[in-house]
Amino acid sequence: MSERQPLEGVKVLDLSRVYAGPGGSMILADLGADVIRIEAPNGTDSMRDWVPFIGGESTYYFTANRNKKSVELDLKNQKGKDIFLKLVQEADIVLENFKTGTLKKLGLDLQQLKKVKKDIILCSVTGYGQTGPYKGEPGFDPVMQAIGGLMDVTGLPEGDATRVGLPLVDIMTSQYVTIAILAALRQRDQTGKEQSIDLSLFEVQLSALANVASSYLNAGTVSTRVGNDHSYIVPYQVFKCSDRPLMVCCGNDKLFANFCVVLDREEWIGDERFKTNQARVTNREVLTNRIADMMITKTADEWFTQLSQVGVPSGPVNNIEQVFQHPQVEAREVVEEVSHVKLGHIKLVKSPLKNSTLNVKTKAGPPVLGQHTEELLHALGYQKLEIDQLRKEGVIGSLAERKM
């Protein structure tokens, strides 16, 4: 494996908070970028305040902040702004997810930044984007799931609209942050000019509607909630087994035929009601009721073993404990133990990026608030007395507040 990482030498100043921005900069850090989190004294990232805690540190914060440095800096203070602009001189990317217009109020918008670094890349992540009637509205993941249509197609038909149990829009946006920044770096290499990226959670959510959006836009179909079923494929759903549920996906007629063989119901293969997927969708209820009567007779693992032998995709519905006891987790070394300045070591889920020469690695655990402030100020030429004065004026945080 190559020792050098692909983004070594790339510097990111990360002003973003919560997940959508930090999750993206973490991927860049995994690839070797030098990511410096700029946080206000006493902290502005609400993820640091979310339970559960271990040793006073939020385990939620761990999920989006490995491989980074943390600097406390008050950007509303002119001295803090001056320090930040010194960091910009050496940076490639500024990432922020303030409300639209906040960076301009701070005097740190693209026009100001490129006076300091002419080819700077500014990536802005907001709820609704930099333009349009909703541009000033805050962006929170559950709101995006609601207003962007995801909740309306999630949940049981007779139940309420349901949000996905994870901040899915934030997570998807974080990946677009990475893609957009990598593309901007490539474009800057070609043009030598600054780049401005305008990403909105709202548009990311709309792009993720996939077939639901395409069905409406082209056929006028308004999708409805179908629970764990699939609107257009049968059987493609969860069935109760004798111990726990099992997800079964018969994505084509051949898979359905193989499924029938395992169920010992080969007569269904030629039944006109079930012969094609379109017929199965039309006769969904009668078919799935018959399947349900069969599935309850064995455990989920027994069915999985038999279905796997004939290539039918299936999997038990695991709780989080069962997930991390899965043999594939151990075989692929999904979990890693990393160093932490306060806690010694913590466990994280590794980056899923695997490549023979990409050299994705975790070099440091998530930083505590302000962990690298003095180190970076010294690198900028500040002396101890100057740093002490900055701390006294509240431009940077106090040592007591860092609690290391």
Side-chain angles (χ1 to χ4, degrees):
M1 179 180 286
S2 170
E3 288 300 314
R4 185 172 176 82
Q5 293 187 275
L7 295 186
E8 279 186 30
V10 173
K11 181 170 286 189
V12 182
L13 301 181
D14 185 0
L15 299 171
S16 64
R17 300 150 293 164
V18 193
Y19 199 103
S25 64
M26 182 176 71
I27 298 172
L28 298 173
D30 290 344
L31 292 167
D34 182 12
V35 178
I36 302 170
R37 291 217 62 192
I38 310 294
E39 303 182 68
N42 305 317
T44 56
D45 193 336
S46 53
M47 274 223 298
R48 288 193 181 274
D49 302 323
W50 293 346
V51 295
F53 294 96
I54 177 170
E57 296 294 313
S58 168
T59 57
Y60 206 128
Y61 184 83
F62 295 165
T63 62
N65 289 289
R66 64 173 172 250
N67 283 331
K68 301 180 186 180
K69 297 173 183 175
S70 172
V71 172
E72 287 179 287
L73 210 55
D74 182 1
L75 296 180
K76 295 178 181 178
N77 183 299
Q78 186 58 48
K79 289 185 178 180
K81 194 180 302 183
D82 291 342
I83 294 170
F84 176 72
L85 291 173
K86 287 182 181 179
L87 292 170
V88 171
Q89 291 176 8
E90 302 175 355
D92 298 282
I93 299 128
V94 172
L95 170 62
E96 60 96 9
N97 64 351
F98 297 123
K99 287 178 66 175
T100 301
T102 299
L103 215 58
K104 188 170 185 177
K105 290 179 182 176
L106 291 171
L108 296 172
D109 59 355
L110 182 64
Q111 298 306 312
Q112 296 302 316
L113 295 178
K114 70 180 184 180
K115 291 178 182 177
V116 177
K117 183 71 181 295
K118 66 177 183 178
D119 60 353
I120 196 72
I121 294 168
L122 174 62
C123 180
S124 297
V125 182
T126 55
Y128 298 92
Q130 301 293 315
T131 59
Y134 274 52
K135 66 180 182 181
E137 293 292 323
F140 280 75
D141 183 279
V143 174
M144 294 302 146
Q145 291 194 33
I147 202 167
L150 179 58
M151 282 180 62
D152 187 58
V153 296
T154 305
L156 296 172
E158 67 276 10
D160 294 332
T162 305
R163 77 173 181 87
V164 178
L166 293 166
L168 188 62
V169 183
D170 281 349
I171 293 168
M172 292 188 294
T173 302
S174 73
Q175 295 168 351
Y176 276 102
V177 165
T178 305
I179 294 167
I181 287 174
L182 291 176
L185 283 169
R186 175 63 172 155
Q187 192 168 12
R188 191 188 67 173
D189 288 344
Q190 295 171 331
T191 67
K193 295 181 179 180
E194 81 282 353
Q195 303 291 325
S196 178
I197 300 166
D198 175 9
L199 267 176
S200 78
L201 276 69
F202 182 61
E203 288 165 86
V204 169
Q205 167 52 46
L206 294 186
S207 74
L209 289 175
N211 61 295
V212 172
S214 183
S215 298
Y216 169 71
L217 293 172
N218 296 287
T221 302
V222 178
S223 296
T224 56
R225 292 189 293 283
V226 292
N228 292 316
D229 298 356
H230 193 290
S231 298
Y232 310 115
I233 308 173
V234 176
Y236 204 99
Q237 63 203 83
V238 169
F239 292 100
K240 290 182 180 179
C241 301
S242 62
D243 59 341
R244 55 178 169 156
L246 182 79
M247 186 73 196
V248 177
C249 298
C250 294
N252 56 48
D253 296 338
K254 182 179 180 181
L255 289 175
F256 175 68
N258 291 348
F259 182 52
C260 293
V261 171
V262 171
L263 292 181
D264 196 24
R265 290 294 183 270
E266 295 182 49
E267 66 272 17
W268 292 353
I269 299 173
D271 192 316
E272 292 298 327
R273 295 171 298 173
F274 314 138
K275 194 172 182 179
T276 66
N277 180 67
Q278 184 174 348
R280 292 192 295 275
V281 171
T282 301
N283 297 283
R284 177 193 301 268
E285 186 174 353
V286 63
L287 175 60
T288 56
N289 284 342
R290 292 183 183 189
I291 294 171
D293 290 341
M294 297 293 299
M295 299 298 288
I296 200 69
T297 63
K298 295 181 182 180
T299 68
D301 285 336
E302 286 174 329
W303 283 122
F304 169 76
T305 299
Q306 290 183 259
L307 292 171
S308 177
Q309 290 170 353
V310 297
V312 175
S314 72
V317 178
N318 290 329
N319 63 31
I320 195 66
E321 184 176 23
Q322 291 166 329
V323 168
F324 285 103
Q325 290 174 350
H326 196 285
Q328 194 72 0
V329 170
E330 181 178 354
R332 298 282 288 179
E333 299 179 343
V334 173
V335 178
E336 63 181 349
E337 194 171 84
V338 302
S339 62
H340 189 276
V341 69
K342 278 182 64 177
L343 304 175
H345 291 89
I346 60 173
K347 291 181 179 179
L348 298 175
V349 176
K350 279 184 181 179
S351 167
L353 293 172
K354 286 182 169 65
N355 184 298
S356 59
T357 60
L358 201 57
N359 196 15
V360 175
K361 59 185 176 182
T362 300
K363 295 173 286 188
V368 299
L369 181 61
Q371 181 178 333
H372 303 91
T373 302
E374 290 186 31
E375 172 190 325
L376 289 175
L377 286 176
H378 281 305
L380 290 174
Y382 287 82
Q383 302 301 310
K384 185 179 184 305
L385 287 177
E386 294 175 292
I387 294 172
D388 290 343
Q389 184 61 32
L390 290 171
R391 186 170 286 117
K392 187 181 297 184
E393 295 176 13
V395 179
I396 61 176
S398 71
L399 289 172
E401 288 163 350
R402 283 162 56 190
K403 300 178 182 178
M404 283 195 294

